[in-house]
Amino acid sequence: MGGRSIDVELELPSSNAARTMVLVGRTGNGKSATGNSILGKKAFNSRRSSSTVTTTTELKTATLEDGQQINVIDTPGLFDNSAKSDFIGKEIVQCIKLAKDGIDAVLVVLSTKTRLSEEEESAIRSLETLFGSKIFDYMIIVFTGGDELEENDSTLEDYLGRDCPEPLKEILGLCGNRCVLFDNKTKDESKRVEQVQRLLSLVNLVTAQNGGRPYTDEIFAEVKKEAMKLRDQQEEVASLEGYSKRDISHLNEQMQLAHDLQLKRITEMVNFHLHFVCI
């Protein structure tokens, strides 16, 4: 068998700590639809299309019945062959900016309706190049197309056991065989909740295995440092006395420009790394 789903109990996370998940994958695999299923509402634009529907990285949130906050970050088609490195770099920095406290899980969205492409395999490998091999400790594979498998009286285990290509086997192995099947077309609310609970149980497993620490690295540290610096400067300016509103507005504009220049520098650093990776 190419990979196996992990047997986890269907339970909501016991901790009320917010969980931040990032959706990555190729256009058409159902990233935005998966995000909507997780959140239980139509938060992201989603429709069947050969072109990218999500055009920029977005963060949407929902609160579960137990009070836990779920943060889902949807990214544009970073795995698409047409995506340019400067665009990818900008969106990665935006993603990090939104996930300011780190990422609890990276959800790699693949479709059971198509084979793993060379572009997808290369893109997943590029994440290792950019963020280090530890990023795989936070990865979960979300297979979409559960509706079609069900129509064919098939399961995810059947799908992974039928001539599973070697690259997919390797990716699943790197991710600790953490995977889950989603039917984003279901109208059955209990079924939607069940598959989301299974995913959240895997997220909790990832969190436990990583000592409760979200994923961060030097790029996160750089972006967070700049955000905190800007916030502190803005608070300092707000407390100034004897300055006109116009002067304070001008100071804020100057600080924002300096902040944007620093983010541009960080983006260029990301692009430099991506330049040596085929995406």
Side-chain angles (χ1 to χ4, degrees):
M1 181 178 290
R4 58 181 179 82
S5 57
I6 294 179
D7 185 18
V8 293
E9 293 184 6
L10 302 182
E11 58 181 12
L12 288 172
S14 58
S15 171
N16 282 335
R19 293 283 188 263
T20 299
M21 294 166 271
V22 176
L23 296 161
V24 296
R26 186 176 60 180
T27 296
N29 280 0
K31 293 191 310 298
S32 298
T34 298
N36 291 338
S37 290
I38 294 170
L39 296 170
K41 59 184 179 182
K42 188 170 175 55
F44 301 109
N45 289 329
S46 172
R47 66 176 184 270
R48 195 168 181 83
S49 174
S50 59
S51 60
T52 301
V53 176
T54 300
T55 57
T56 188
T57 301
E58 296 180 285
L59 167 68
K60 302 293 182 181
T61 67
T63 302
L64 302 180
E65 289 184 1
D66 66 351
Q68 183 187 33
Q69 181 176 314
I70 298 295
N71 304 319
V72 178
I73 298 175
D74 189 16
T75 63
L78 303 184
F79 285 15
D80 295 358
N81 195 34
S82 59
K84 305 299 182 185
S85 62
D86 56 345
F87 168 77
I88 295 172
K90 179 173 71 70
E91 294 304 320
I92 285 175
V93 170
Q94 175 65 8
C95 176
I96 291 171
K97 189 176 178 180
L98 292 173
K100 55 184 182 298
D101 294 323
I103 294 171
D104 294 294
V106 177
L107 308 182
V108 179
V109 181
L110 302 177
S111 174
T112 60
K113 299 177 183 179
T114 58
R115 307 288 278 185
L116 180 74
S117 69
E118 291 183 5
E119 289 80 12
E120 286 176 305
E121 182 187 355
S122 177
I124 294 170
R125 295 288 186 178
S126 75
L127 293 177
E128 178 184 13
T129 302
L130 188 60
F131 296 112
S133 60
K134 191 164 180 60
I135 194 67
F136 289 116
D137 295 339
Y138 292 82
M139 278 189 187
I140 299 170
I141 306 297
V142 178
F143 289 98
T144 61
D147 55 309
E148 190 169 287
L149 288 185
E150 187 174 322
E151 287 175 5
N152 295 323
D153 295 322
S154 187
T155 65
L156 181 59
E157 286 73 16
D158 294 332
Y159 171 78
L160 295 176
R162 287 197 307 262
D163 302 320
C164 185
E166 195 61 35
L168 182 54
K169 287 183 186 178
E170 293 177 5
I171 296 299
L172 284 165
L174 289 170
C175 299
N177 286 319
R178 292 183 296 272
C179 58
V180 64
L181 179 66
F182 261 50
D183 173 3
N184 291 320
K185 293 183 178 181
T186 184
K187 302 297 183 183
D188 184 343
E189 181 62 11
S190 63
K191 181 179 179 182
R192 183 197 69 80
V193 170
E194 181 177 309
Q195 62 191 19
V196 171
Q197 289 177 348
R198 183 172 289 277
L199 171 64
L200 292 177
S201 293
L202 283 176
V203 174
N204 284 339
L205 176 64
V206 166
T207 299
Q209 290 178 340
N210 287 295
R213 295 181 296 273
Y215 178 82
T216 59
D217 71 348
E218 62 178 297
I219 302 175
F220 272 91
E222 287 279 335
V223 173
K224 188 169 185 177
K225 182 178 74 174
E226 289 306 318
M228 292 178 67
K229 180 180 176 182
L230 177 63
R231 184 198 63 193
D232 292 343
Q233 289 175 335
Q234 288 173 334
E235 289 177 353
E236 185 178 345
V237 168
S239 67
L240 291 175
E241 296 181 0
Y243 282 79
S244 67
K245 289 184 178 180
R246 182 177 179 181
D247 289 337
I248 291 177
S249 177
H250 178 68
L251 286 171
N252 280 323
E253 287 177 4
Q254 293 298 108
M255 289 185 299
Q256 187 64 54
L257 283 173
H259 175 69
D260 291 343
L261 282 173
Q262 284 296 89
L263 287 185
K264 183 179 179 182
R265 178 186 64 79
I266 295 169
T267 301
E268 289 172 350
M269 179 178 71
V270 173
N271 288 338
F272 176 79
H273 289 289
L274 288 172
H275 179 73
F276 299 99
V277 184
C278 295
I279 297 183

